[in-house]
Amino acid sequence: MDGKNQKQAMLLGISAVLLWSTVATAFKLALQHLTPLQLLSIASVTSVAILFLAVLRKHPWHDVVTCWKKAPLRFAVLGALNPFLYYVILFQAYDLLPAQQAQPLNYTWALVLSLLAVPILGQSLQRSDLVALVLGYFGVLVISTRGNLLGMEFDSGLGVALALVSTVLWALYWLINAKNDTPSEISLLLCFLNGTPLVLLATLLVDGMPSGMEGVLSAIYVGFFEMGITFMLWMNAMKLATHTSRVSNLIFLSPFLSLILIHSILGEEIGGATYIGLIMIVSAVAYQQYAAYKTKPQS
C-alpha cells in the first residue's frame, strides 16, 4: 500500500472546492461591518489557532522551531506576503468591487504565476502560456467593464487594479515557496505566525479593533475556511490522489459555484459579461494546464 486513495482524495477535493466557493460571499458579508484590516486581523488570528492545533497533531513543537531557525528571513518575507499584504489588498478590492467582479479577477493568479516564473525560476514562456495570458486578460477586461469594451468604464478602476495586484502577490508567495522543503502545514503556520503581528499592528494603527460583534462571525468563518482548514483539505487531497489531474481540475468548479452563492445570498444580479469573462479566464487556465501536461515527459 502506498497510502493513495483516489476516492478519498476526490471527497476531500470536492469539500475544499465547496468551502472555497463560499468565501467570496463571506468576504462581502464581513466587509459590510468591518474594514479590510479588521476582517484580516480576526481571520488571521483564527487561522493561527487552527493551524497551530493541526500542526501539533502531527509534529512536535521543536520541529516547528527547527524549521523556523533554518530560514527565519524567508518566513518573514513569506509572512509579509501572506497573510499581510495579499489579503489586505484582496479585501480592499472586494470592498470596492462587486463580488462577481473581484472573485473572477483574483482567479487569474495562475496566469501571473507563469509570467513571474520566468525571472524567478528561470523558466521560459511557451506559446500556450501567451495564448492563455491573452485570453485570460481579455476575460478580465470583459468582466471589469461589464462587457462595454469600447466605453472602458469600470465600477472601480482602483478596485480592479488592487484585485490584479493581489494576484501578483499570491503568485510571488507560491514561487518563493517553491524551493521550500519545510512540510507545507508547518510552513503555512510559520508564515501566519510572522504575518499576523504585522496585520494586528496595522489594524491598531489605522482602524482600531472592531467595537461590536457585527461581521465578526463572517471574519472567523474566513479564517476557518479561506486560510485554514480548506488549505489542509486540498493539500491532503493532492497527497492521496492517484490521478492528481482529476483532483486539481475540481478547482475550476469553484468560481461558478461562487457566483451562485453571490447571487443567492448577496443578491447581486450576475451580468452576462461576468459569465463570459469568467469562462474565458477558466478556459485560459485550463488550456495552460493541459498544454503543460501534454509537454511534460511521461514516465
Side-chain angles (χ1 to χ4, degrees), residues 48-212:
V48 166
I50 296 164
L51 292 168
F52 184 81
L53 293 174
V55 167
L56 288 189
R57 284 186 62 190
K58 295 178 62 178
H59 306 274
W61 181 247
H62 67 77
D63 284 358
V64 178
V65 175
T66 299
C67 290
W68 177 77
K69 286 181 176 178
K70 287 181 179 178
L73 180 58
R74 179 172 63 196
F75 286 115
V77 171
L78 288 172
L81 286 173
N82 173 42
F84 183 46
L85 290 174
Y86 169 66
Y87 279 110
V88 167
I89 291 174
L90 178 65
F91 291 161
Q92 187 63 54
Y94 268 91
D95 204 31
L96 294 170
L97 292 171
Q100 64 177 288
Q101 291 187 3
Q103 194 270 351
L105 299 188
N106 181 249
Y107 199 73
T108 60
W109 73 269
L111 302 177
V112 178
L113 193 70
S114 63
L115 273 178
L116 294 181
V118 175
I120 294 176
L121 299 183
Q123 297 179 2
S124 57
L125 277 179
Q126 307 299 317
R127 185 175 65 177
S128 57
D129 294 319
L130 296 174
V131 171
L133 286 166
V134 171
L135 179 61
Y137 282 107
F138 193 72
V140 167
L141 200 57
V142 170
I143 292 171
S144 302
T145 62
R146 294 185 182 267
N148 183 13
L149 298 178
L150 295 179
M152 291 295 286
E153 295 181 358
F154 304 96
D155 285 347
S156 170
L158 177 60
V160 171
L162 289 173
L164 295 178
V165 168
S166 76
T167 67
V168 175
L169 295 174
W170 193 238
L172 277 173
Y173 172 77
W174 285 108
L175 288 170
I176 294 172
N177 234 346
K179 298 177 181 178
N180 184 3
D181 58 0
T182 305
S184 52
E185 64 273 14
I186 293 180
S187 178
L188 191 62
L189 173 61
L190 288 172
C191 290
F192 271 78
L193 286 174
N194 279 274
T196 299
L198 297 176
V199 173
L200 294 173
L201 179 61
T203 305
L204 288 170
L205 292 174
V206 177
D207 298 320
M209 290 299 175
S211 56

Side-chain angles (χ1 to χ4, degrees), residues 2 6 12 14 16 23-24 37 49 66 72 110 114 131 133 145 147 149 155 171 192 195 207 231 253 267-268 277 295:
D2 60 359
Q6 184 67 20
L12 291 173
I14 290 169
V23 293
L37 276 170
T66 299
S114 63
V131 171
L133 286 166
T145 62
L149 298 178
D155 285 347
F192 271 78
D207 298 320
F231 177 86
L253 297 173
E268 290 187 16
T295 57

